[in-house]
Amino acid sequence: MSETSAPSPAMLPSGWLRLDRAGWWGTFAVTPLNGILLGILPINLGSTFARSFDISIWWGFLLSLGAVVPVFLVLYLVQRLRYPQAWVNFDTDELRAGRRVVPLADIIWARLDMFDRQRAHTRMLTLRFGAEGGPRASVRLRGRTGQTLPAAVTDVVAEIIRRSSIAVPQTPNDPTGRFARYNFPGSLSRADTLEVVLNPPTIDDPPPVLIA
């Protein structure tokens, strides 16, 4: 895949720039099976509560919501704490998440999460990248309705990739990386990462990665 020329430094934003992150909820909620579970779980719990405590189904449903909502709230808070907001600074060539700061050159891995919505004929693409044991970031390259990033945001993400050291992981049993596509599904090289950032493939395009 060919690289596109980088924008001049004068065109890049100065200082710390916040990267809009793509959380797990967007992909989770639009997955058909998960959507069905989200709808059925409160109903089943409500029916169970109603039978167990001999109350109306409506009270059972309210009790089930009271049990389910805190669970999702805890999951959301854990995700926010585990993966804090990412920021980038092109003046200092650094990526920051929470209190951890690393040079952009320390970004060594990238993974593409892909979900095809066959009924809507759209493809959701989420790019995740970061340093080993350090800050990480996630960007939604193509949303649930097929929308892509604004040009200015694309330039920022592409420049991060250009200044990174992203490479597909290797193992001692596969030193040439011939089977990396199968050993590390979703992993990308720096050139391939830049390509999907600049040209996010649609559902009509060949899958850019092997999904486990």
Side-chain angles (χ1 to χ4, degrees):
M1 296 183 179
S2 61
E3 292 195 7
T4 302
S5 58
S8 65
M11 298 173 59
L12 294 171
S14 180
W16 286 105
L17 177 68
R18 175 175 174 169
L19 292 176
D20 291 336
R21 60 181 174 184
W24 58 273
W25 173 253
T27 303
F28 179 89
V30 299
T31 304
L33 179 59
N34 293 336
I36 293 173
L37 290 176
L38 285 175
I40 292 178
L41 182 60
I43 296 175
N44 285 344
L45 281 178
S47 299
T48 301
F49 286 147
R51 291 193 302 268
S52 300
F53 299 104
D54 193 22
I55 56 179
S56 71
I57 188 64
W58 296 110
W59 278 110
F61 182 69
L62 290 175
L63 287 175
S64 69
L65 287 179
V68 171
V69 171
V71 172
F72 281 96
L73 180 60
V74 169
L75 291 175
Y76 173 77
L77 292 176
V78 169
Q79 195 261 355
R80 297 280 294 192
L81 291 173
R82 186 176 181 184
Y83 305 117
Q85 175 65 53
W87 301 72
V88 63
N89 190 327
F90 292 120
D91 299 331
T92 59
D93 272 350
E94 291 177 322
L95 178 72
R96 185 185 80 201
R99 298 180 179 180
R100 295 179 295 179
V101 181
V102 297
L104 294 180
D106 283 2
I107 299 175
I108 61 171
W109 63 267
R111 177 183 174 88
L112 186 67
D113 295 338
M114 184 179 70
F115 174 64
D116 288 346
R117 304 178 65 217
Q118 299 294 343
R119 180 171 297 182
H121 198 69
T122 59
R123 170 177 288 170
M124 291 180 61
L125 294 172
T126 303
L127 178 67
R128 308 184 192 279
F129 55 88
E132 184 176 5
R136 57 182 291 173
S138 59
V139 181
R140 183 64 47 78
L141 300 180
R142 188 175 288 279
R144 57 177 299 183
T145 59
Q147 76 275 18
T148 56
L149 296 173
V153 179
T154 297
D155 289 343
V156 168
V157 178
E159 187 61 23
I160 294 174
I161 303 307
R162 292 188 184 98
R163 301 189 187 192
S164 73
S165 303
I166 292 172
V168 177
Q170 295 182 353
T171 64
N173 296 328
D174 182 30
T176 63
R178 180 181 179 183
F179 300 103
R181 175 180 174 87
Y182 305 97
N183 294 331
F184 305 98
S187 294
L188 297 170
S189 65
R190 185 171 64 174
D192 289 346
T193 304
L194 183 59
E195 179 65 20
V196 297
V197 169
L198 297 176
N199 302 292
T202 68
I203 195 171
D204 295 320
D205 297 321
V209 294
L210 179 69
I211 302 300

Coordinates of all heavy atoms in Angstrom, one line a residue, residues 109-147:
W109 N 2.1 -0.8 18.0 CA 1.1 -1.8 17.6 C -0.2 -1.0 17.1 O -0.5 0.1 17.6 CB 0.7 -2.8 18.7 CG 0.1 -2.2 19.9 CD1 0.7 -1.8 21.0 CD2 -1.3 -1.9 20.1 NE1 -0.2 -1.3 22.0 CE2 -1.4 -1.4 21.4 CE3 -2.5 -2.1 19.4 CZ2 -2.6 -1.0 22.0 CZ3 -3.7 -1.7 19.9 CH2 -3.8 -1.2 21.2
A110 N -0.9 -1.7 16.2 CA -2.2 -1.1 15.7 C -3.1 -2.3 15.4 O -2.6 -3.3 14.9 CB -2.0 -0.3 14.5
R111 N -4.3 -2.2 15.8 CA -5.3 -3.3 15.6 C -6.6 -2.6 15.0 O -7.1 -1.6 15.5 CB -5.6 -4.0 16.8 CG -6.7 -5.1 16.7 CD -7.0 -5.8 18.0 NE -8.1 -6.7 17.8 CZ -8.0 -8.0 17.5 NH1 -6.8 -8.4 17.2 NH2 -9.0 -8.8 17.4
L112 N -7.1 -3.3 14.0 CA -8.4 -2.8 13.4 C -9.5 -3.7 13.7 O -9.5 -4.9 13.5 CB -8.2 -2.8 11.8 CG -9.4 -2.2 11.1 CD1 -9.5 -0.7 11.4 CD2 -9.2 -2.4 9.6
D113 N -10.5 -3.2 14.4 CA -11.7 -3.9 14.7 C -12.8 -3.6 13.6 O -13.1 -2.5 13.4 CB -12.3 -3.5 16.1 CG -11.3 -3.9 17.2 OD1 -10.5 -4.8 17.0 OD2 -11.4 -3.3 18.3
M114 N -13.3 -4.7 13.0 CA -14.2 -4.5 11.9 C -15.5 -5.3 12.2 O -15.5 -6.4 12.7 CB -13.6 -5.1 10.6 CG -14.4 -4.9 9.4 SD -13.6 -5.6 7.9 CE -13.7 -7.4 8.3
F115 N -16.6 -4.6 11.9 CA -17.9 -5.2 12.1 C -18.8 -4.8 10.9 O -19.1 -3.7 10.7 CB -18.6 -4.8 13.4 CG -20.0 -5.3 13.6 CD1 -20.3 -6.6 13.7 CD2 -21.1 -4.4 13.6 CE1 -21.6 -7.1 13.8 CE2 -22.4 -4.8 13.8 CZ -22.6 -6.2 13.9
D116 N -19.2 -5.9 10.1 CA -20.1 -5.6 9.0 C -21.5 -5.8 9.4 O -21.9 -6.8 9.9 CB -19.7 -6.6 7.9 CG -18.4 -6.3 7.2 OD1 -17.9 -5.2 7.4 OD2 -17.9 -7.2 6.5
R117 N -22.3 -4.7 9.1 CA -23.7 -4.7 9.3 C -24.4 -5.0 8.0 O -24.7 -4.2 7.2 CB -24.2 -3.4 9.9 CG -23.5 -3.0 11.2 CD -24.0 -1.6 11.6 NE -25.4 -1.6 12.0 CZ -26.2 -0.6 11.8 NH1 -25.8 0.4 11.2 NH2 -27.5 -0.7 12.2
Q118 N -24.7 -6.3 7.8 CA -25.2 -6.8 6.5 C -26.5 -6.2 6.1 O -26.7 -5.8 5.0 CB -25.3 -8.3 6.5 CG -23.9 -9.0 6.7 CD -23.0 -8.8 5.6 OE1 -23.3 -8.4 4.5 NE2 -21.7 -9.1 5.8
R119 N -27.4 -6.1 7.1 CA -28.7 -5.6 6.8 C -28.7 -4.1 6.4 O -29.4 -3.7 5.5 CB -29.7 -5.7 8.0 CG -31.1 -5.2 7.8 CD -32.0 -5.6 8.9 NE -32.1 -7.1 9.0 CZ -32.9 -7.7 9.9 NH1 -33.6 -7.0 10.8 NH2 -33.0 -9.0 9.9
A120 N -27.8 -3.3 7.1 CA -27.7 -1.9 6.7 C -26.7 -1.7 5.6 O -26.5 -0.6 5.1 CB -27.3 -1.1 8.0
H121 N -26.0 -2.7 5.3 CA -24.9 -2.7 4.2 C -23.9 -1.6 4.5 O -23.5 -0.8 3.7 CB -25.6 -2.4 2.8 CG -24.6 -2.8 1.7 ND1 -24.3 -4.1 1.4 CD2 -24.0 -2.0 0.8 CE1 -23.5 -4.1 0.4 NE2 -23.2 -2.8 0.0
T122 N -23.4 -1.7 5.8 CA -22.4 -0.7 6.2 C -21.3 -1.5 7.0 O -21.6 -2.6 7.4 CB -22.9 0.4 7.1 OG1 -23.5 -0.2 8.3 CG2 -23.9 1.3 6.4
R123 N -20.1 -0.9 7.1 CA -19.0 -1.6 7.8 C -18.5 -0.6 8.8 O -18.1 0.5 8.5 CB -17.9 -2.0 6.8 CG -16.6 -2.4 7.5 CD -15.6 -2.8 6.5 NE -15.9 -4.1 5.9 CZ -15.3 -4.7 4.9 NH1 -14.4 -4.0 4.3 NH2 -15.7 -5.8 4.4
M124 N -18.5 -1.0 10.1 CA -17.9 -0.2 11.2 C -16.4 -0.6 11.3 O -16.1 -1.8 11.4 CB -18.6 -0.5 12.5 CG -20.1 0.0 12.5 SD -20.9 -0.3 14.1 CE -19.8 0.6 15.2
L125 N -15.6 0.4 11.4 CA -14.1 0.2 11.5 C -13.6 1.1 12.7 O -13.8 2.3 12.8 CB -13.4 0.7 10.3 CG -13.7 -0.1 9.0 CD1 -13.0 0.6 7.8 CD2 -13.2 -1.5 9.1
T126 N -13.0 0.4 13.7 CA -12.4 1.1 14.8 C -10.9 0.7 14.8 O -10.5 -0.4 14.9 CB -13.0 0.6 16.1 OG1 -14.4 0.9 16.1 CG2 -12.4 1.4 17.3
L127 N -10.1 1.8 14.8 CA -8.6 1.6 14.9 C -8.1 1.8 16.3 O -8.5 2.9 16.9 CB -7.9 2.6 13.9 CG -6.4 2.5 13.9 CD1 -5.9 1.2 13.4 CD2 -5.8 3.7 13.1
R128 N -7.4 0.9 16.8 CA -6.8 1.0 18.1 C -5.3 0.9 18.0 O -4.8 0.1 17.3 CB -7.3 -0.1 19.1 CG -8.8 -0.2 19.1 CD -9.4 -1.2 20.1 NE -10.8 -1.4 19.9 CZ -11.7 -0.7 20.4 NH1 -11.4 0.4 21.1 NH2 -13.0 -1.0 20.2
F129 N -4.6 1.8 18.7 CA -3.1 1.8 18.6 C -2.5 2.3 19.9 O -3.2 2.9 20.7 CB -2.6 2.6 17.4 CG -3.1 4.0 17.5 CD1 -2.4 5.0 18.1 CD2 -4.3 4.4 16.8 CE1 -2.8 6.3 18.2 CE2 -4.7 5.7 16.8 CZ -4.0 6.7 17.5
G130 N -1.2 1.9 20.1 CA -0.6 2.3 21.4 C 0.8 1.8 21.6 O 1.3 1.1 20.7
A131 N 1.4 2.2 22.7 CA 2.7 1.7 23.1 C 2.6 0.5 23.9 O 1.6 0.2 24.6 CB 3.4 2.8 23.8
E132 N 3.7 -0.3 23.9 CA 3.7 -1.6 24.7 C 3.6 -1.2 26.2 O 4.5 -0.6 26.8 CB 4.9 -2.4 24.4 CG 4.9 -3.7 25.2 CD 6.1 -4.5 24.8 OE1 7.0 -4.0 24.1 OE2 6.2 -5.7 25.3
G133 N 2.5 -1.6 26.9 CA 2.3 -1.4 28.3 C 2.1 0.1 28.6 O 2.2 0.5 29.8
G134 N 1.9 0.9 27.6 CA 1.7 2.4 27.8 C 0.4 2.9 27.3 O -0.6 2.2 27.1
P135 N 0.3 4.2 27.0 CA -0.9 4.8 26.5 C -1.4 4.2 25.2 O -0.6 3.6 24.4 CB -0.5 6.3 26.2 CG 0.7 6.5 27.1 CD 1.4 5.2 27.1
R136 N -2.7 4.2 25.1 CA -3.3 3.7 23.9 C -4.5 4.6 23.5 O -5.0 5.4 24.3 CB -3.8 2.3 24.1 CG -4.8 2.1 25.2 CD -5.3 0.7 25.4 NE -6.1 0.2 24.3 CZ -6.5 -1.0 24.2 NH1 -6.1 -1.9 25.0 NH2 -7.3 -1.4 23.2
A137 N -4.9 4.5 22.2 CA -6.0 5.4 21.7 C -6.8 4.5 20.8 O -6.4 3.5 20.2 CB -5.4 6.6 21.0
S138 N -8.0 5.0 20.6 CA -8.9 4.3 19.6 C -9.7 5.4 18.8 O -10.1 6.4 19.4 CB -9.9 3.4 20.4 OG -10.7 4.1 21.3
V139 N -9.9 5.1 17.6 CA -10.5 6.1 16.7 C -11.5 5.3 15.8 O -11.2 4.3 15.2 CB -9.5 6.8 15.8 CG1 -10.2 7.8 14.9 CG2 -8.5 7.5 16.6
R140 N -12.8 5.8 15.7 CA -13.8 5.2 14.8 C -13.6 5.8 13.4 O -13.9 6.9 13.1 CB -15.2 5.6 15.4 CG -16.3 4.9 14.6 CD -16.4 3.4 14.6 NE -16.2 2.8 16.0 CZ -17.2 2.8 16.9 NH1 -18.3 3.3 16.7 NH2 -16.9 2.2 18.0
L141 N -13.0 4.9 12.5 CA -12.7 5.3 11.2 C -14.0 5.4 10.3 O -14.1 6.2 9.4 CB -11.7 4.4 10.5 CG -10.3 4.3 11.2 CD1 -9.4 3.3 10.5 CD2 -9.7 5.7 11.3
R142 N -14.9 4.4 10.6 CA -16.1 4.4 9.8 C -17.2 4.0 10.8 O -17.1 3.0 11.5 CB -16.1 3.4 8.7 CG -17.3 3.5 7.7 CD -17.1 2.6 6.5 NE -16.1 3.1 5.6 CZ -16.4 4.0 4.7 NH1 -17.6 4.6 4.6 NH2 -15.4 4.4 3.9
G143 N -18.2 4.9 10.9 CA -19.3 4.7 11.9 C -20.4 3.8 11.4 O -20.3 3.2 10.4
R144 N -21.4 3.6 12.3 CA -22.5 2.6 12.0 C -23.3 3.0 10.8 O -23.9 2.1 10.2 CB -23.4 2.6 13.3 CG -24.0 3.9 13.7 CD -24.9 3.7 14.9 NE -26.0 2.8 14.5 CZ -27.0 2.5 15.3 NH1 -27.0 3.0 16.6 NH2 -28.0 1.7 15.0
T145 N -23.3 4.2 10.4 CA -24.1 4.6 9.2 C -23.2 4.8 8.0 O -23.6 5.3 7.0 CB -24.9 5.9 9.5 OG1 -24.0 7.0 9.8 CG2 -25.9 5.7 10.6
G146 N -21.9 4.5 8.2 CA -20.9 4.6 7.1 C -20.1 5.9 7.1 O -19.3 6.1 6.2
Q147 N -20.4 6.8 8.0 CA -19.7 8.1 8.0 C -18.2 7.9 8.4 O -17.9 7.0 9.2 CB -20.4 9.1 9.0 CG -20.1 8.8 10.5 CD -21.1 7.8 11.1 OE1 -21.7 7.0 10.4 NE2 -21.1 7.8 12.4

